[in-house]
Amino acid sequence: MLTVRTKRRASAVVLGHVALTWFAVAFRVDAFPLTWAPMYSVLAFEDVIVVRAWNDEDLSRGLVGRRRNGARELVTRRDLNLPRLAFWRLYYERAFGRDPNKLLHANAPFERRIFGPPGNANWEWRVLRSVNQTLGRAEADDTFLVELRVRAQTHRFARTTLRHRSKPEVAILRWNDAWSMNREPR
């Protein structure tokens, strides 16, 4: 821990911190924790906008799982000890392959040269692994969840018209026995 004993040293620490922060802002370094903000996101125009909606009934009902022994199980947010918004974000959005907002931001070429492009995460493996580990289940157990079903209502809006179509959609996440709980497959 840096101890500040003089006014000059305190001023130098503050000025150094401000200079480092403004450098990160100027070069749009999104990975820098003090400058990460949604202001770096990009507005992209598309002809069809897809919006998935989850009502309170779907969120309170939870995820429908199938165990290794074939039995069905309902996994709720209370089973996973998660608040409602975190349950929706972590499981429903990831189940449909939607990345966190951080990966959708427009990073400057400067940051991409340093950190590389954002990788494609295997959300199927991550969600199933997370649920099973939270429930304290090992891969060899009969109670290990090998499948999760997530329901959502999908709305498609056309940009050129005021029409929209809506239909229920189900994402099915299946565990591949070649995967390991210890390492994410590539």
Side-chain angles (χ1 to χ4, degrees):
M1 176 102 182
L2 178 66
T3 57
V4 179
R5 297 183 190 254
T6 65
K7 186 176 180 180
R8 179 178 282 173
R9 185 177 286 171
S11 298
V13 168
V14 170
L15 284 174
H17 176 37
V18 168
L20 180 64
T21 301
W22 279 107
F23 171 81
V25 169
F27 288 100
R28 294 178 61 165
V29 180
D30 286 344
F32 190 68
L34 298 177
T35 61
W36 182 84
M39 66 183 173
Y40 296 141
S41 61
V42 172
L43 178 62
F45 290 101
E46 298 177 11
D47 290 335
V48 177
I49 299 170
V50 177
V51 178
R52 286 189 182 88
W54 297 274
N55 58 22
D56 288 334
E57 183 181 320
D58 287 335
L59 287 175
S60 62
R61 185 174 26 236
L63 310 171
V64 178
R66 186 173 54 86
R67 296 178 180 174
R68 192 175 293 282
N69 62 8
R72 298 251 178 232
E73 178 180 355
L74 190 65
V75 180
T76 65
R77 66 182 181 89
R78 287 181 181 81
D79 295 335
L80 301 173
N81 195 23
L82 284 172
R84 192 173 139 223
L85 186 59
F87 182 70
W88 164 72
R89 187 175 296 126
L90 289 174
Y91 294 104
Y92 279 79
E93 282 192 346
R94 302 307 170 260
F96 283 94
R98 184 164 181 208
D99 292 330
N101 288 335
K102 177 78 171 134
L103 297 180
L104 302 176
H105 287 175
N107 297 341
F110 172 76
E111 183 177 347
R112 289 192 187 267
R113 280 195 300 270
I114 294 174
F115 300 108
N120 293 333
N122 185 342
W123 292 117
E124 195 168 14
W125 176 82
R126 286 185 180 190
V127 169
L128 285 166
R129 176 179 177 261
S130 172
V131 169
N132 279 306
Q133 281 189 335
T134 302
L135 295 173
R137 298 179 181 171
E139 211 171 331
D141 293 345
D142 283 343
T143 59
F144 185 80
L145 292 171
V146 294
E147 180 180 289
L148 284 176
R149 292 177 181 262
V150 182
R151 290 183 31 205
Q153 189 72 21
T154 302
H155 303 280
R156 296 182 187 280
F157 297 91
R159 192 167 73 108
T160 56
T161 64
L162 295 177
R163 294 179 301 136
H164 93 282
R165 291 181 296 153
S166 153
K167 68 172 186 166
E169 192 175 343
V170 176
I172 301 174
L173 307 175
R174 288 191 176 95
W175 182 262
N176 185 345
D177 284 330
W179 295 344
S180 167
M181 286 276 285
N182 300 327
R183 197 180 58 166
E184 183 173 2
R186 291 287 164 191

